[in-house]
Amino acid sequence: MNTGVVSRRFAKALLEYAKADKVEDKVYEEMKTLSAHYAEVPALRQAIGNPVLARSKKLTLLQEAAGGDGVSKETRRFFELVLEDKREDFLQFMAWSYIDLYRDDKKILMGRLTTAVPSPKLVSYLERMAHLLTHGTVELEQKIDPSLIGGYIIELAGNRLDASVVTQLKSIKDQFIARNRRIV
């Protein structure tokens, strides 16, 4: 069976289980935390996949990576099931699948906002505007890129709006060059 099918089935079962206990939001945060730890700590994947490491140690590692002592009983039970079925190699993909399924279920759109400097007010404003346009919740991942000089670039639902100063300056320069070529 391929990785995507296995991961999606486990993630779907976890979402249904979490929704039944009305803790899907908490499990979502735990899966995001786990996913971030997988990305930040490559040794986590190796440790979880290590056949020599005891299942109890793997469970402890997973709980810590998902949020520590406060991890929900649903997430803990999920980890136990995954380890029992010897599917721990798929766990990172299961976390990603859960995140995707949760966002689909809650109608959450993901976007990326790139600014020259941190701008919490701009993030809040753009999330509200995007919500009005899409009628869904919008989560913007913010990235700082000083080379933009000012302004922002927002990417949402396959669309990109570049309102950065560097792009506007480049446009002015291109227009200037084009005009000078016509004169010569």
Side-chain angles (χ1 to χ4, degrees):
M1 203 175 280
N2 86 24
T3 303
V5 173
V6 170
S7 301
R8 196 120 178 121
R9 284 183 183 167
F10 272 79
K12 189 174 180 182
L14 176 59
L15 181 60
E16 289 174 12
Y17 179 45
K19 284 174 76 172
D21 289 352
K22 299 187 183 337
V23 293
E24 68 269 22
D25 299 339
K26 181 166 178 44
V27 173
Y28 173 64
E29 292 303 322
E30 293 167 347
M31 290 298 121
K32 286 192 332 185
T33 302
L34 177 65
S35 185
H37 280 105
Y38 264 112
E40 295 166 7
V41 185
L44 176 62
R45 184 179 177 98
Q46 293 169 341
I48 298 303
N50 184 346
V52 177
L53 192 63
R55 191 170 15 170
S56 62
K57 297 282 186 197
K58 290 180 183 184
L59 182 60
T60 301
L61 268 174
L62 289 169
Q63 282 181 222
E64 281 300 313
D69 293 334
V71 74
S72 67
K73 73 175 179 61
E74 292 77 11
T75 297
R76 179 183 165 80
R77 179 65 188 118
F78 177 71
F79 290 154
E80 290 170 352
L81 177 69
V82 169
L83 292 170
E84 190 177 302
D85 284 356
K86 298 185 183 338
R87 299 289 191 174
E88 56 265 30
D89 288 341
F90 299 110
L91 201 46
Q92 182 177 15
F93 302 104
M94 291 175 192
W96 290 338
S97 293
Y98 181 89
I99 291 166
D100 288 342
L101 290 168
Y102 177 89
R103 287 176 179 159
D104 287 346
D105 186 61
K106 301 290 184 177
K107 295 177 181 32
I108 298 173
L109 291 173
M110 291 303 297
R112 179 175 294 132
L113 176 67
T114 307
T115 57
V117 295
S119 182
K121 286 184 180 180
L122 178 63
V123 171
S124 177
Y125 173 76
L126 290 173
E127 284 177 341
R128 281 194 317 274
M129 290 297 104
H131 171 72
L132 291 173
L133 292 170
T134 63
H135 306 292
T137 304
V138 175
E139 289 183 11
L140 290 176
E141 172 190 322
Q142 190 172 10
K143 179 181 168 192
I144 307 301
D145 182 0
S147 71
L148 294 182
I149 302 171
Y152 60 89
I153 299 171
I154 185 170
E155 299 170 72
L156 182 65
N159 296 307
R160 177 184 165 115
L161 173 64
D162 188 339
S164 65
V165 172
V166 73
T167 299
Q168 292 172 13
L169 288 173
K170 184 181 178 318
S171 176
I172 291 168
K173 177 183 169 188
D174 291 346
Q175 289 174 10
F176 179 75
I177 290 171
R179 279 195 189 136
N180 286 338
R181 283 190 186 141
R182 278 188 250 142
I183 295 172
V184 176

